[in-house]
Amino acid sequence: MPRYLISFDDGSMDHIPDEDWPSVGEASHEVVREAKAAGVWIFGGGVERQQSTIVATDGTITAGPVPETKAVVGGFSIIEVSTREEALIWAARIAAGCRCAQEVREIMFDPES
């Protein structure tokens, strides 16, 4: 069954007032509980706002993009559903809970997993 990455950019939730965070957190967690109950939830979470580190193929380590200067992932969910349309429905539910748009991408099939 196909798996999908549903994600949003760092900073996409910056418009949310501090006093709304408890209700946003509850709404987001409710969608996760529903996805788990439906058996589609694989894994997900928020990503700490920080500069990333890039490790090259030769092992060279360099500083990665700074969140304030480039779009980076702020949070993600991985779900397993039958169709892209079903993934889009879950993404819409996540978007409503998080109050920010979500990007949906199919994860490449790995025949060895």
Side-chain angles (χ1 to χ4, degrees), residues 34-42 80:
E34 292 169 2
K36 287 179 178 179
V40 303
W41 183 260
I42 301 296
E80 187 173 59

Side-chain angles (χ1 to χ4, degrees), residues 9-18 21 49 68 99-100:
D9 288 345
D10 181 68
S12 294
M13 298 174 82
D14 288 352
H15 67 283
I16 300 170
D18 289 343
W21 277 105
R49 182 174 281 181
E68 290 77 24
R99 298 187 192 175
C100 66

